[in-house]
Amino acid sequence: MRMGLARNESAVPTKRCFAVLSVALFAVAAFADTTVPADATGKLSAEEQTDGFKALFNGKNLDGWWIRGENKEAYKVEDGNLIVTGAEGGDWIFTNEEYGDFVLRYEYKCLTGEGNSGVSIRSPKEGNPAFAGIEIQVLRPGWETPYQRAGSLYHTVAPTVEADKKFGEWNSVEVYVNGAHIRTTMNGKVIYDVQMTDFTKEKLEKEAVPDDWRKPLDDRPLKGYIGLQDHSDSVAFRNMRIKTLGK
Protein backbone atom coordinates (compact mmCIF):
# COMPACT_ATOMS: atom_id res chain seq x y z
CA MET A 1 0.00 0.00 0.00
CA ARG A 2 2.82 2.42 0.79
CA MET A 3 4.54 1.67 -2.50
CA GLY A 4 1.33 2.32 -4.39
CA LEU A 5 0.78 5.56 -2.50
CA ALA A 6 4.32 6.70 -3.25
CA ARG A 7 3.79 6.12 -6.92
CA ASN A 8 0.58 8.11 -6.88
CA GLU A 9 2.11 10.96 -4.91
CA SER A 10 5.12 11.20 -7.19
CA ALA A 11 2.87 11.21 -10.23
CA VAL A 12 0.87 14.25 -9.08
CA PRO A 13 3.66 16.85 -9.45
CA THR A 14 4.57 15.38 -12.82
CA LYS A 15 0.99 15.61 -14.04
CA ARG A 16 0.70 19.16 -12.69
CA CYS A 17 3.91 20.22 -14.41
CA PHE A 18 2.72 18.71 -17.68
CA ALA A 19 -0.63 20.46 -17.36
CA VAL A 20 1.01 23.84 -16.65
CA LEU A 21 3.38 23.38 -19.58
CA SER A 22 0.50 22.44 -21.91
CA VAL A 23 -1.48 25.53 -20.88
CA ALA A 24 1.55 27.73 -21.39
CA LEU A 25 2.23 26.34 -24.85
CA PHE A 26 -1.43 26.69 -25.80
CA ALA A 27 -1.42 30.31 -24.62
CA VAL A 28 1.65 31.10 -26.71
CA ALA A 29 0.10 29.47 -29.78
CA ALA A 30 -3.20 31.24 -29.22
CA PHE A 31 -1.47 34.60 -28.83
CA ALA A 32 0.44 34.04 -32.05
CA ASP A 33 -2.83 33.52 -33.94
CA THR A 34 -4.94 36.27 -32.38
CA THR A 35 -3.98 39.01 -34.84
CA VAL A 36 -4.77 36.96 -37.93
CA PRO A 37 -7.08 33.93 -37.91
CA ALA A 38 -5.33 30.81 -39.16
CA ASP A 39 -7.89 30.27 -41.90
CA ALA A 40 -7.50 33.76 -43.33
CA THR A 41 -3.78 34.46 -43.35
CA GLY A 42 -3.10 33.45 -46.91
CA LYS A 43 -0.70 30.81 -45.64
CA LEU A 44 0.03 28.17 -48.22
CA SER A 45 -0.45 24.47 -47.73
CA ALA A 46 2.64 22.27 -47.93
CA GLU A 47 1.44 21.06 -51.33
CA GLU A 48 1.00 24.62 -52.61
CA GLN A 49 4.44 25.63 -51.39
CA THR A 50 5.98 22.69 -53.22
CA ASP A 51 3.90 23.48 -56.30
CA GLY A 52 5.15 27.07 -56.51
CA PHE A 53 2.21 29.11 -55.21
CA LYS A 54 2.69 32.41 -53.41
CA ALA A 55 0.33 34.51 -51.32
CA LEU A 56 -1.14 37.63 -52.91
CA PHE A 57 -2.65 38.91 -49.66
CA ASN A 58 -0.88 38.51 -46.33
CA GLY A 59 -3.97 38.85 -44.13
CA LYS A 60 -2.44 41.77 -42.20
CA ASN A 61 -2.29 44.80 -44.50
CA LEU A 62 -2.51 45.88 -48.14
CA ASP A 63 1.17 45.50 -48.93
CA GLY A 64 1.53 44.40 -52.54
CA TRP A 65 -1.61 46.24 -53.67
CA TRP A 66 -2.48 49.73 -54.95
CA ILE A 67 -5.84 51.50 -55.00
CA ARG A 68 -6.90 53.25 -58.17
CA GLY A 69 -9.92 55.05 -56.74
CA GLU A 70 -9.88 58.33 -54.83
CA ASN A 71 -11.33 56.74 -51.70
CA LYS A 72 -8.42 54.83 -50.23
CA GLU A 73 -10.57 53.86 -47.23
CA ALA A 74 -12.89 51.76 -49.38
CA TYR A 75 -10.60 48.77 -48.81
CA LYS A 76 -9.53 47.55 -45.39
CA VAL A 77 -8.17 44.52 -43.59
CA GLU A 78 -10.41 43.07 -40.91
CA ASP A 79 -9.91 39.80 -39.02
CA GLY A 80 -7.43 38.65 -41.63
CA ASN A 81 -9.79 39.34 -44.55
CA LEU A 82 -9.49 41.91 -47.31
CA ILE A 83 -12.78 43.79 -47.15
CA VAL A 84 -14.20 45.61 -50.15
CA THR A 85 -16.55 47.97 -48.31
CA GLY A 86 -18.66 49.18 -51.22
CA ALA A 87 -18.01 52.79 -50.23
CA GLU A 88 -18.25 55.35 -53.02
CA GLY A 89 -15.05 56.21 -54.87
CA GLY A 90 -13.17 52.98 -54.23
CA ASP A 91 -13.11 51.88 -57.87
CA TRP A 92 -10.53 49.03 -58.02
CA ILE A 93 -7.60 47.74 -55.99
CA PHE A 94 -4.85 46.03 -57.99
CA THR A 95 -1.79 43.90 -57.36
CA ASN A 96 1.54 45.65 -57.74
CA GLU A 97 2.70 42.96 -60.14
CA GLU A 98 1.30 41.95 -63.51
CA TYR A 99 0.48 38.35 -64.36
CA GLY A 100 0.00 36.53 -67.65
CA ASP A 101 -0.41 32.77 -67.35
CA PHE A 102 -1.25 31.52 -63.88
CA VAL A 103 -3.46 29.60 -61.49
CA LEU A 104 -5.29 31.98 -59.15
CA ARG A 105 -7.04 30.74 -56.03
CA TYR A 106 -9.16 32.81 -53.68
CA GLU A 107 -12.15 32.70 -51.36
CA TYR A 108 -14.91 35.28 -51.14
CA LYS A 109 -18.01 35.91 -49.06
CA CYS A 110 -20.84 38.33 -49.84
CA LEU A 111 -21.54 40.54 -46.83
CA THR A 112 -24.14 43.17 -47.76
CA GLY A 113 -26.66 44.06 -50.45
CA GLU A 114 -26.29 42.00 -53.60
CA GLY A 115 -22.69 41.13 -52.81
CA ASN A 116 -21.68 42.85 -56.03
CA SER A 117 -17.96 42.92 -56.78
CA GLY A 118 -15.55 41.34 -59.22
CA VAL A 119 -12.09 39.87 -59.63
CA SER A 120 -10.22 41.17 -62.65
CA ILE A 121 -7.39 39.39 -64.42
CA ARG A 122 -4.91 40.66 -67.02
CA SER A 123 -6.17 44.20 -66.48
CA PRO A 124 -4.37 47.37 -67.58
CA LYS A 125 -4.00 50.35 -65.26
CA GLU A 126 -6.58 52.37 -67.16
CA GLY A 127 -10.03 51.58 -68.46
CA ASN A 128 -12.80 49.30 -67.24
CA PRO A 129 -11.25 45.95 -66.22
CA ALA A 130 -14.47 44.17 -67.20
CA PHE A 131 -13.73 44.96 -70.84
CA ALA A 132 -10.16 46.27 -70.99
CA GLY A 133 -9.14 43.11 -69.11
CA ILE A 134 -11.38 40.24 -67.98
CA GLU A 135 -13.66 40.25 -64.95
CA ILE A 136 -14.81 37.21 -63.00
CA GLN A 137 -18.12 38.19 -61.46
CA VAL A 138 -18.77 38.21 -57.73
CA LEU A 139 -22.46 38.39 -56.86
CA ARG A 140 -25.13 36.86 -54.67
CA PRO A 141 -26.54 33.44 -55.55
CA GLY A 142 -29.52 33.11 -57.87
CA TRP A 143 -28.89 36.13 -60.07
CA GLU A 144 -31.24 36.19 -63.04
CA THR A 145 -28.97 37.42 -65.85
CA PRO A 146 -26.70 34.52 -66.92
CA TYR A 147 -23.62 36.55 -67.87
CA GLN A 148 -23.69 38.34 -64.51
CA ARG A 149 -23.95 35.27 -62.32
CA ALA A 150 -21.25 34.49 -59.79
CA GLY A 151 -18.10 33.22 -61.45
CA SER A 152 -19.05 34.27 -64.98
CA LEU A 153 -16.60 35.91 -67.36
CA TYR A 154 -18.57 39.12 -67.24
CA HIS A 155 -20.72 39.79 -70.27
CA THR A 156 -19.34 36.84 -72.24
CA VAL A 157 -19.31 33.41 -70.59
CA ALA A 158 -22.03 32.31 -68.17
CA PRO A 159 -21.45 29.48 -65.69
CA THR A 160 -22.69 26.11 -66.92
CA VAL A 161 -23.72 25.32 -63.34
CA GLU A 162 -24.53 27.55 -60.37
CA ALA A 163 -22.00 26.35 -57.84
CA ASP A 164 -21.93 29.26 -55.40
CA LYS A 165 -23.01 28.80 -51.79
CA LYS A 166 -25.65 30.60 -49.76
CA PHE A 167 -25.26 34.32 -49.13
CA GLY A 168 -22.77 34.91 -46.32
CA GLU A 169 -20.89 31.64 -46.80
CA TRP A 170 -17.34 31.34 -48.10
CA ASN A 171 -16.87 30.33 -51.73
CA SER A 172 -13.64 28.82 -53.03
CA VAL A 173 -12.57 29.72 -56.58
CA GLU A 174 -9.72 28.61 -58.84
CA VAL A 175 -9.03 30.35 -62.14
CA TYR A 176 -6.66 28.65 -64.57
CA VAL A 177 -5.37 31.01 -67.26
CA ASN A 178 -2.88 29.85 -69.89
CA GLY A 179 -2.72 31.76 -73.16
CA ALA A 180 -6.26 31.76 -74.57
CA HIS A 181 -7.39 28.98 -72.22
CA ILE A 182 -9.53 29.97 -69.22
CA ARG A 183 -11.07 27.48 -66.81
CA THR A 184 -12.85 28.46 -63.62
CA THR A 185 -13.71 26.07 -60.81
CA MET A 186 -16.02 27.11 -57.96
CA ASN A 187 -16.43 25.03 -54.83
CA GLY A 188 -14.95 22.02 -56.60
CA LYS A 189 -17.13 22.28 -59.73
CA VAL A 190 -15.84 23.42 -63.13
CA ILE A 191 -18.28 26.14 -64.22
CA TYR A 192 -16.72 26.71 -67.67
CA ASP A 193 -13.66 25.73 -69.68
CA VAL A 194 -13.21 27.96 -72.72
CA GLN A 195 -10.81 29.39 -75.25
CA MET A 196 -10.77 33.16 -75.73
CA THR A 197 -10.36 32.57 -79.46
CA ASP A 198 -13.87 31.07 -79.53
CA PHE A 199 -15.24 34.52 -78.76
CA THR A 200 -14.06 36.71 -81.63
CA LYS A 201 -16.10 39.57 -83.04
CA GLU A 202 -16.35 37.77 -86.37
CA LYS A 203 -17.60 34.51 -84.83
CA LEU A 204 -20.16 36.27 -82.68
CA GLU A 205 -21.46 38.26 -85.65
CA LYS A 206 -21.61 35.13 -87.80
CA GLU A 207 -23.57 33.19 -85.20
CA ALA A 208 -26.09 36.04 -85.06
CA VAL A 209 -27.66 34.94 -81.78
CA PRO A 210 -30.75 37.05 -81.02
CA ASP A 211 -30.18 39.53 -78.19
CA ASP A 212 -26.61 38.29 -77.91
CA TRP A 213 -24.95 39.75 -74.83
CA ARG A 214 -21.54 38.22 -75.42
CA LYS A 215 -18.51 40.46 -75.92
CA PRO A 216 -15.36 39.43 -77.84
CA LEU A 217 -12.48 38.06 -75.78
CA ASP A 218 -9.77 37.63 -78.40
CA ASP A 219 -8.84 41.31 -78.22
CA ARG A 220 -8.17 41.27 -74.47
CA PRO A 221 -4.59 41.55 -73.18
CA LEU A 222 -2.68 38.41 -72.21
CA LYS A 223 -0.98 40.05 -69.26
CA GLY A 224 -1.99 42.57 -66.63
CA TYR A 225 -2.97 43.21 -63.03
CA ILE A 226 -5.25 41.22 -60.77
CA GLY A 227 -7.86 43.41 -59.12
CA LEU A 228 -10.87 43.54 -56.79
CA GLN A 229 -13.81 45.80 -57.54
CA ASP A 230 -15.43 48.21 -55.11
CA HIS A 231 -18.92 48.41 -56.56
CA SER A 232 -21.70 49.16 -54.11
CA ASP A 233 -21.74 46.26 -51.66
CA SER A 234 -19.40 44.79 -49.10
CA VAL A 235 -17.53 41.58 -49.92
CA ALA A 236 -14.75 39.79 -48.03
CA PHE A 237 -11.79 38.06 -49.70
CA ARG A 238 -9.18 35.80 -48.18
CA ASN A 239 -6.58 33.13 -49.01
CA MET A 240 -5.62 34.76 -52.28
CA ARG A 241 -2.68 32.92 -53.81
CA ILE A 242 -1.21 32.48 -57.24
CA LYS A 243 1.08 30.20 -59.19
CA THR A 244 2.65 31.54 -62.36
CA LEU A 245 2.91 29.20 -65.32
CA GLY A 246 5.74 28.90 -67.79
CA LYS A 247 8.74 31.17 -67.47
Side-chain angles (χ1 to χ4, degrees), residues 84-129:
V84 177
T85 65
E88 185 176 355
D91 194 28
W92 286 81
I93 183 172
F94 294 106
T95 55
N96 287 345
E97 295 184 35
E98 294 182 275
Y99 299 92
D101 299 331
F102 54 83
V103 179
L104 171 66
R105 294 175 179 172
Y106 60 90
E107 297 173 51
Y108 77 89
K109 177 171 66 174
C110 299
L111 299 177
T112 66
E114 304 290 355
N116 196 346
S117 181
V119 176
S120 69
I121 58 175
R122 294 174 168 176
S123 295
K125 286 186 176 181
E126 305 296 332
N128 185 347

Side-chain angles (χ1 to χ4, degrees), residues 35-207:
T35 54
V36 183
D39 60 353
T41 61
K43 291 182 179 178
L44 305 176
S45 67
E47 182 181 354
E48 286 176 326
Q49 291 181 31
T50 302
D51 207 21
F53 279 86
K54 72 172 186 177
L56 284 178
F57 168 57
N58 62 22
K60 301 176 183 178
N61 53 49
L62 297 179
D63 288 354
W65 297 78
W66 60 278
I67 300 171
R68 191 173 73 174
E70 294 181 359
N71 184 3
K72 310 303 181 185
E73 303 301 317
Y75 305 89
K76 61 183 181 179
V77 177
E78 194 173 87
D79 297 326
N81 303 316
L82 199 166
I83 306 295
V84 177
T85 65
E88 185 176 355
D91 194 28
W92 286 81
I93 183 172
F94 294 106
T95 55
N96 287 345
E97 295 184 35
E98 294 182 275
Y99 299 92
D101 299 331
F102 54 83
V103 179
L104 171 66
R105 294 175 179 172
Y106 60 90
E107 297 173 51
Y108 77 89
K109 177 171 66 174
C110 299
L111 299 177
T112 66
E114 304 290 355
N116 196 346
S117 181
V119 176
S120 69
I121 58 175
R122 294 174 168 176
S123 295
K125 286 186 176 181
E126 305 296 332
N128 185 347
F131 305 109
I134 296 176
E135 178 185 344
I136 297 140
Q137 180 72 59
V138 173
L139 201 59
R140 66 160 172 82
W143 194 256
E144 295 77 11
T145 308
Y147 67 78
Q148 292 178 336
R149 288 175 183 158
S152 65
L153 293 185
Y154 184 73
H155 231 297
T156 300
V157 180
T160 58
V161 59
E162 293 186 60
D164 49 334
K165 296 182 180 180
K166 294 179 181 179
F167 192 98
E169 294 185 7
W170 286 104
N171 293 279
S172 177
V173 181
E174 178 181 281
V175 184
Y176 172 88
V177 184
N178 194 0
H181 187 189
I182 302 178
R183 181 183 66 243
T184 296
T185 304
M186 179 180 288
N187 297 321
K189 297 180 181 179
V190 176
I191 58 176
Y192 50 78
D193 191 339
V194 299
Q195 297 286 334
M196 295 167 61
T197 48
D198 289 335
F199 298 88
T200 66
K201 182 178 180 180
E202 293 74 17
K203 283 187 177 182
L204 297 181
E205 289 178 348
K206 186 175 180 180
E207 291 175 4

